[in-house]
Amino acid sequence: MIKANNPALKSWIEVPTNNDFPIQNLPFGIFKTQSSSPRVGIAIGDQVLDLAVLNKLGYLKNLNIDNSILTNQYLNDLISLGKPTTSALRQRVSDLLTDTNTELRDNKEARGKVLQYISNVQLLMPVRVGDYTDFYSSIDHATNVGTMFRDPANALLPNWKHLPVGYHGRASSIIISGTNFHRPKGQTKPVDSEMPVFGATNALDFELEVAFIIGKPTQLGQSVTTSDADDYIFGLTLFNDWSARDIQTWEYVPLGPFLAKNFVSTISPWIVTLDALEPFRAKGYEQTPKVLPYLEYTGEKNIDINLEVTIQPENAEETIVCKSNYKYMYWTMEQQLTHHTCNGCNINIGDMMASGTISGPAPESFGSMLELSWRGTKPVKMNNGTERKFINDNDTVIIRGYCEKDNVRIGFGEAKAKVLPAL
Ligand code: MN
C-alpha cells in the first residue's frame, strides 16, 4: 500500500466531515490570489497548500524541484518530472500534514504563509491540454443511445465490444469549473422542415464523464500495453462533455461529433492522482466476447467512484438528476490508452482522455438528459416544480464525485457551469 493512502492517517489541519480533501487525497491544482501569480497547490480540507512557498521555505528541499516548476501556470512541467518525483512530493506533503509531524505544525509563521482558504483563491485550469480524446465506453450509455436512435434489438454496433470506440475532440474549449458560457448556436434540421435552420440549440445536454490526464509521453510509433498503461496516467478529473443534441443529430453522419460537442467541456479544478485512487480499484465487466490479445488485462482496473449530477435552476435549489459510478465502464482507461496508441499514435503530458458518458443499469443512473428524459419523452421533475427535457438558460449543472472505503472519503470537488442565453 502507498504510505500516503493509509486510512489511519490524520492531519493536524481540521478536515470537515464529508470534505473531498482529507490527507489521503492530496490532489494537485493551480491557483492564484489577488497578490500572487499562478502556482501549484495541493488541497487539504477547505484549504490549499502553496507548494511554491513551501519549497522556498525549504520544506521540500530533498526533492530538488526548481521553484519555476511550482510558480507555474500549469502542472505540465511538474508532471513531466515523472511519477517517482510527483509521488514522492505527495508523500512529503502527507508527512508534513500528519498530526504527529511538528515541522510545519509548530511553525506558526510558515503555516500562515503556505495555507490559504480555497474560498479566498482563484482556481485555474490545472493542465495545458494539448490533445483531447473522448471515448464511448459505458455499455449502458451506448445501449441506451443505440436503442433510441437505431434498433433496440441491435443497440450496440458490431465493433463496440471489440474496441473502445472514440473520437478526437477539441482541447481549446476545455475550461475550468465555474466558467459560465453562452448557449451554443449551430445548424439543425427540424423534423417538419425540408431545409436546415441556423440558431441556438434547443437540446443542450450534459454528459457525465471522468477524464484521465497523461503523465508520461510516448514517441511516435510507440505503443503502450495494458500492463504499462498506469505509468502513463497521472490522475483524473470530473468532465462534463456538454453536447447539443439537435446539432449532433444533423451533423454527425458520417464522421461523428463535431460542433455539437466542441463549444465547451467543463472539468473539475483538482487532479486526483492515480496513486490516491489505488485503494478504490474495482472489478470490471466480464468482457464477452473475449477481446483481442492486445486489449487483455489482469487485475482490478475499474475504479469505484460515486458520481452525481445536479441541476440548479436560477434562484432555486439543486435537484439531483443522476447518480452513477465510474465502475460501470465496460472498457477500462488502461484499455482505452492501449487502443489509442496501438497504431503508434503518440501522446503528450497534459493530454486528456475522457471516458464517454457514464450511465449505469438503473434509469436514475443515466448520465445525460438525452437518456434521463428518454429523448425528451419523459421530462425530469425539478424540486422547484418545473420540468426539464434538456438544459434551460440560466441552469447550473454540477458534477460531483467521490470514493469511499474504510471510513476514508476522497473526492474530486465540482465540475460546475451555468448556461447563459445565446449571444
Ligand atoms: Mn462525450
Side-chain angles (χ1 to χ4, degrees):
M1 183 177 72
I2 296 167
K3 207 176 129 210
N5 294 344
N6 185 348
L9 287 176
K10 284 201 163 44
S11 177
W12 47 265
I13 293 179
E14 191 73 39
V15 177
T17 317
N18 283 341
N19 184 279
D20 281 342
F21 311 119
I23 192 167
Q24 289 83 2
N25 192 348
L26 304 181
F28 289 85
I30 297 285
F31 74 99
K32 69 173 183 181
T33 67
Q34 278 179 338
S35 58
S36 75
S37 56
R39 57 206 40 240
V40 176
I42 278 184
I44 174 75
D46 46 19
Q47 301 182 64
V48 54
L49 184 67
D50 185 327
L51 295 196
V53 174
L54 198 66
N55 195 30
K56 222 164 130 188
L57 294 175
Y59 285 98
L60 306 174
K61 62 174 182 291
N62 292 343
L63 296 163
N64 286 314
I65 298 172
D66 190 286
N67 224 47
S68 66
I69 284 174
L70 300 172
T71 49
N72 201 305
Q73 197 185 340
Y74 296 111
L75 292 171
N76 296 52
D77 290 348
L78 177 65
I79 295 170
S80 71
L81 298 178
K83 274 204 196 185
T85 301
T86 53
S87 297
L89 175 57
R90 178 170 171 268
Q91 182 59 55
R92 173 62 180 151
V93 168
S94 170
D95 291 342
L96 280 172
L97 297 178
T98 299
D99 56 359
T100 51
N101 187 308
T102 60
E103 291 175 77
L104 185 59
R105 187 193 76 186
D106 293 352
N107 187 338
K108 197 174 170 212
E109 200 194 333
R111 249 173 29 218
K113 288 180 178 160
V114 298
L115 286 165
Q116 314 225 35
Y117 283 96
I118 295 174
S119 54
N120 292 339
V121 308
Q122 187 186 355
L123 297 170
L124 305 170
M125 263 302 281
V127 285
R128 187 179 56 245
V129 184
D131 277 305
Y132 156 56
T133 301
D134 195 26
F135 286 93
Y136 186 56
S137 289
S138 152
I139 191 165
D140 291 295
H141 173 67
T143 303
N144 287 340
V145 172
T147 300
M148 263 183 267
F149 287 94
R150 285 188 308 270
D151 173 11
N154 297 290
L156 295 178
L157 287 166
N159 61 1
W160 200 89
K161 285 188 164 183
H162 295 282
L163 57 86
V165 169
Y167 68 94
H168 286 303
R170 181 137 188 107
S172 67
S173 52
I174 299 176
I175 55 171
I176 186 88
S177 177
T179 312
N180 303 332
F181 66 94
H182 293 275
R183 175 176 297 271
K185 291 180 284 197
Q187 198 180 120
T188 60
K189 190 177 166 298
V191 276
D192 51 2
S193 162
E194 223 167 273
M195 290 290 284
V197 296
F198 182 83
T201 174
N202 288 313
L204 182 62
D205 201 354
F206 61 80
E207 288 193 337
L208 167 62
E209 305 197 17
V210 169
F212 64 88
I213 289 113
I214 295 300
K216 184 176 165 182
T218 62
Q219 297 297 313
L220 194 68
Q222 187 188 343
S223 300
V224 175
T225 64
T226 55
S227 54
D228 289 342
D230 287 342
D231 293 343
Y232 293 83
I233 299 170
F234 178 72
L236 279 65
T237 64
L238 304 174
F239 193 100
N240 184 349
D241 181 21
W242 292 94
S243 299
R245 300 302 180 193
D246 44 1
I247 297 172
Q248 184 180 355
T249 305
W250 173 231
E251 76 171 1
Y252 88 106
V253 185
L255 289 186
F258 185 35
L259 304 183
K261 284 167 177 283
N262 72 356
F263 53 93
V264 153
S265 309
T266 304
I267 65 162
S268 52
W270 300 103
I271 301 183
V272 177
T273 63
L274 200 55
D275 281 355
L277 292 165
E278 281 307 328
F280 307 97
R281 289 282 190 176
K283 205 166 157 323
Y285 271 86
E286 192 160 322
Q287 297 180 324
T288 321
K290 217 160 117 67
V291 298
L292 288 170
Y294 82 101
L295 287 170
E296 286 174 1
Y297 70 96
T298 54
E300 299 197 335
K301 290 298 181 190
N302 282 37
I303 308 179
D304 185 353
I305 308 173
N306 300 290
L307 299 167
E308 172 187 291
V309 185
T310 72
I311 298 174
Q312 183 176 27
E314 183 89 320
N315 299 319
E317 62 174 279
E318 292 176 42
T319 299
I320 300 172
V321 294
C322 162
K323 277 177 178 286
S324 186
N325 195 302
Y326 188 54
K327 73 182 177 192
Y328 294 137
M329 296 283 288
Y330 185 87
W331 294 101
T332 70
M333 56 184 173
E334 290 80 6
Q335 289 178 311
Q336 291 172 336
L337 182 56
T338 295
H339 183 65
H340 202 308
T341 59
C342 73
N343 63 347
C345 171
N346 53 333
I347 52 172
N348 289 300
I349 285 167
D351 286 357
M352 209 166 263
M353 301 195 181
S355 53
T357 307
I358 306 163
S359 296
E364 59 273 19
S365 65
F366 294 170
S368 64
M369 290 302 286
L370 177 71
E371 296 160 88
L372 289 165
S373 76
W374 208 255
R375 223 180 167 177
T377 61
K378 297 179 192 168
V380 176
K381 284 204 166 40
M382 299 287 105
N383 292 343
N384 71 352
T386 59
E387 290 184 336
R388 293 290 181 281
K389 292 176 180 172
F390 291 98
I391 303 302
N392 288 3
D393 284 350
N394 300 309
D395 282 351
T396 300
V397 175
I398 308 163
I399 298 179
R400 297 188 180 90
Y402 67 93
C403 307
E404 199 162 32
K405 191 183 176 183
D406 300 329
N407 292 317
V408 173
R409 178 192 185 281
I410 74 166
F412 285 77
E414 294 177 345
K416 168 177 177 173
K418 180 176 170 177
V419 178
L420 306 172
L423 286 171

